[in-house]
Amino acid sequence: MKFRRLTISREVLSQVVANEAVLLDMRTEKYFGLNPVGLRVWEMLQETSDLRAIRDRLLSEYHVAAEDLDRDLEALFDHLVAAGLAQEPVDGSP
Amino acid sequence: MLHPLNQLLPPVTRFLWSQLCDVADPRADSGSRFRSEEIVAEASRQGVLGLLNAWTQSTPTFHLPSDVLKAHLGANAVRSLALVNEALKVSKLLEGDGLRHIFVKGPFLAQKYYGDFGIRDAGDLDVLVDELDVPRAVLLLRDAGYVRTKPVRDLTPRRWKLYLDTQHEFGFERRRLLIELHWRFADCRRLQSAMFPLLWERSRHVSIGAHSFRTLGAGDTFIHLAIHGALAGWSMLKWIADLGRVRKTFTAADEQLVSATMANPALSRVLELAHCLGPNDGSESRPWLEPVFRRIATNLINVASGEPSALNRLQSFVTSYRYQFHLVPGLRNRLAMLRSNLIMPADFDRSDLPDRLTPLLPLVAQVRRGIDKLLL
């Protein structure tokens, strides 16, 4: 994966709605939606910035091939970073 | 003994009331005899669909139609996010000028007492500042692009003084979000429980995302809800549900604060009513409460009646005064309420009146001038 660690931007607020999520980036005032799997990843990102740990937990939770999961996660993390919803932590932060 | 509202509410409303407001209702069932669409519609009208959704998570036998629920909760989530976003902007604006401010109700109450800032329907943003800071706060909001909606007209220096003296809020709007700037809980000064410095001292932090906001302490929140609910005729279940939720978090200091505030004759009945509407407190019979409960039940039933006609608004104005007078005994308190609500016609909209009533306007103006003279 391109990123090893990611943290959620402190300027992003989230609301869970029926297994999905609505995110608001308060800097750009843009809204984003997450599907149930995206929400699960988002919840894990709130607990850890270690993307490998997130991948491993998802592998144990969902019946999915590792290659497919890696591809989907890569795409999701790229989207989150490109949209400014998550970022690579500066050295020293958890 | 059954709570008086048990006898007065229709079955679906009573079901929601007993489940979401923690009120013992021996006749309440699991809701299975109602159509879920019926319950969702009523919960939506009463502003408790988010609470109902949370309740159903722990009651797997009870299902709600997910499409309706998702649409409503999605809209509410977006609104709550927008309100918190706006609150942060307002907060930075006021803080940047050193103005102390406290957010009241809305997403902050939801976050503090339900753990989810989007669970409760929130319409606008209420922010409380010291009365002395109001002129500065009004200027800051205006310069930042917020459009004043209440009062619409500019105020002369005399009107400014009158407005601060007798009203309780300035209204602003930006991108269809309403921001109300308050300096007391209600128009009538006698319904104020404490001056801002005391409210500030008792205020609490609430964190939403990575940001921290100030909100009223639990005792002051209860008093505020009691006043706001009483003036609004307790016409939505969400306000009644909040009472129990806030009261559950009371410390001894909060209990003491509310008891001490009941010594204020203008607030004693208002707070007594709030206690009686909360869980496990409706069993004591007080004769003055009977007509009040009847009025509240009517309001809860009528919440979905839609936009009233101008004549109905006039009738409702008179009825609400009768009801408020019932809650605020004593000539001085009642005169103070009259004064605070009548002398400031700055946001009075003539188009509210049907044509046949417009000849009465000069008479109304004369009466207002008379009241001004008598009371100011």
Side-chain angles (χ1 to χ4, degrees):
Chain A
M1 276 190 282
K2 196 196 301 179
F3 303 108
R4 285 178 52 233
R5 291 165 70 209
L6 284 180
T7 54
I8 291 171
S9 161
R10 52 178 275 120
E11 295 306 318
V12 176
L13 289 175
S14 61
Q15 269 287 290
V16 177
V17 179
N19 259 341
E20 297 181 8
V22 187
L23 310 180
L24 169 65
D25 183 344
M26 293 195 285
R27 289 161 306 188
T28 59
E29 304 198 324
K30 277 188 182 167
Y31 290 87
F32 301 85
L34 288 176
N35 65 19
V37 181
L39 169 61
R40 186 71 192 106
V41 174
W42 188 259
E43 285 170 343
M44 289 181 190
L45 273 174
Q46 289 172 328
E47 294 164 17
T48 177
S49 60
D50 184 347
L51 303 189
R52 172 62 63 176
I54 290 177
R55 173 197 180 268
D56 292 346
R57 273 172 73 183
L58 286 169
L59 264 181
S60 67
E61 286 181 17
Y62 294 91
H63 293 290
V64 60
E67 305 81 60
D68 293 341
L69 179 67
D70 286 344
R71 194 182 53 242
D72 291 348
L73 277 180
E74 182 98 42
L76 175 64
F77 293 141
D78 280 350
H79 277 306
L80 291 177
V81 172
L85 301 171
Q87 67 227 348
E88 286 188 281
V90 287
D91 283 344
S93 63
Chain B
M1 186 191 272
L2 273 180
H3 194 291
L5 281 181
N6 269 306
Q7 325 287 340
L8 298 166
L9 294 177
V12 181
T13 319
R14 199 174 66 229
F15 164 71
L16 286 173
W17 174 64
S18 61
Q19 299 300 335
L20 305 179
C21 304
D22 283 341
V23 182
D25 177 2
R27 291 185 302 173
D29 51 31
S30 65
S32 55
R33 73 189 170 99
F34 305 115
R35 285 184 302 115
S36 54
E37 290 82 0
E38 200 182 354
I39 294 181
V40 166
E42 182 63 2
S44 180
R45 278 196 295 269
Q46 301 288 351
V48 291
L49 200 50
L51 299 186
L52 181 68
N53 183 43
W55 177 72
T56 55
Q57 311 288 316
S58 56
T59 317
T61 51
F62 189 81
H63 294 291
L64 295 171
S66 60
D67 49 341
V68 181
L69 199 60
K70 202 168 156 182
H72 177 94
L73 294 178
N76 206 42
V78 169
R79 186 157 191 82
S80 302
L81 288 166
L83 283 172
V84 173
N85 181 42
E86 208 59 45
L88 192 64
K89 287 186 167 54
V90 170
S91 192
K92 281 180 178 165
L93 194 67
L94 299 176
E95 224 164 65
D97 215 58
L99 301 191
R100 294 188 300 181
H101 55 281
I102 302 170
F103 287 100
V104 183
K105 294 192 298 159
F108 311 96
L109 186 151
Q111 181 70 27
K112 186 126 191 101
Y113 298 100
Y114 297 93
D116 176 357
F117 67 88
I119 200 172
R120 188 178 167 279
D121 282 17
D124 52 24
L125 208 57
D126 296 277
V127 57
L128 187 74
V129 296
D130 195 317
E131 187 172 341
L132 296 172
D133 292 334
V134 174
R136 184 77 199 127
V138 167
L139 280 180
L140 282 171
L141 287 167
R142 189 201 64 185
D143 292 349
Y146 293 89
V147 176
R148 202 170 80 193
T149 54
K150 184 187 176 186
V152 178
R153 284 190 229 161
D154 280 335
L155 300 171
T156 60
R158 179 173 176 270
R159 283 287 183 199
W160 250 105
K161 191 184 171 309
L162 273 179
Y163 198 86
L164 287 178
D165 219 28
T166 59
Q167 304 287 298
H168 78 294
E169 65 187 9
F170 275 94
F172 291 89
E173 189 178 344
R174 198 167 81 133
R175 287 178 304 190
R176 299 169 73 186
L177 286 181
L178 294 176
I179 295 104
E180 291 177 352
L181 181 74
H182 303 274
W183 53 97
R184 65 172 74 97
F185 289 171
D187 287 349
C188 181
R189 194 183 282 277
R190 281 167 191 271
L191 291 181
Q192 179 65 324
S193 60
M195 300 299 281
F196 186 84
L198 280 176
L199 297 173
W200 177 261
E201 211 174 281
R202 296 193 290 257
S203 68
R204 295 282 176 268
H205 284 285
V206 58
S207 293
I208 298 182
H211 301 279
S212 178
F213 300 87
R214 281 264 186 175
T215 191
L216 290 173
D220 288 312
T221 298
F222 186 86
I223 293 166
H224 180 266
L225 289 173
I227 294 170
H228 176 271
L231 294 177
W234 289 108
S235 54
M236 287 183 95
L237 275 183
K238 72 167 179 173
W239 297 327
I240 299 178
D242 291 340
L243 284 176
R245 199 76 185 195
V246 172
R247 209 171 161 203
K248 270 184 188 165
T249 70
F250 267 19
T251 60
D254 292 316
E255 291 284 5
Q256 207 176 0
L257 171 69
V258 174
S259 302
T261 309
M262 286 184 84
N264 174 349
L267 278 171
S268 56
R269 281 188 174 181
V270 167
L271 286 171
E272 203 174 338
L273 174 60
H275 279 304
C276 292
L277 280 171
N280 312 317
D281 261 315
S283 55
E284 295 166 52
S285 172
R286 296 171 178 84
W288 71 268
L289 273 172
E290 284 170 28
V292 173
F293 274 127
R294 274 201 300 277
R295 166 87 183 165
I296 290 170
T298 310
N299 291 344
L300 283 168
I301 294 164
N302 288 346
V303 72
S305 62
E307 190 62 27
S309 69
L311 198 61
N312 283 346
R313 273 205 295 272
L314 203 63
Q315 277 171 350
S316 140
F317 179 77
V318 173
T319 322
S320 73
Y321 261 103
R322 204 182 302 145
Y323 154 83
Q324 285 174 25
F325 275 17
H326 201 79
L327 285 179
V328 182
L331 186 63
R332 282 165 64 86
N333 296 325
R334 288 172 177 179
L335 277 176
M337 282 197 81
L338 257 183
R339 170 191 158 184
S340 57
N341 284 308
L342 280 181
I343 63 160
M344 189 59 219
D347 56 343
F348 176 71
D349 184 358
R350 285 168 185 238
S351 61
D352 275 353
L353 279 181
D355 288 346
R356 61 198 163 88
L357 291 181
T358 46
L360 291 176
L361 280 175
L363 181 66
V364 172
Q366 217 174 339
V367 170
R368 282 192 170 128
R369 276 197 296 276
I371 291 174
D372 273 22
K373 260 190 190 166
L374 271 173
L375 297 172
L376 293 178

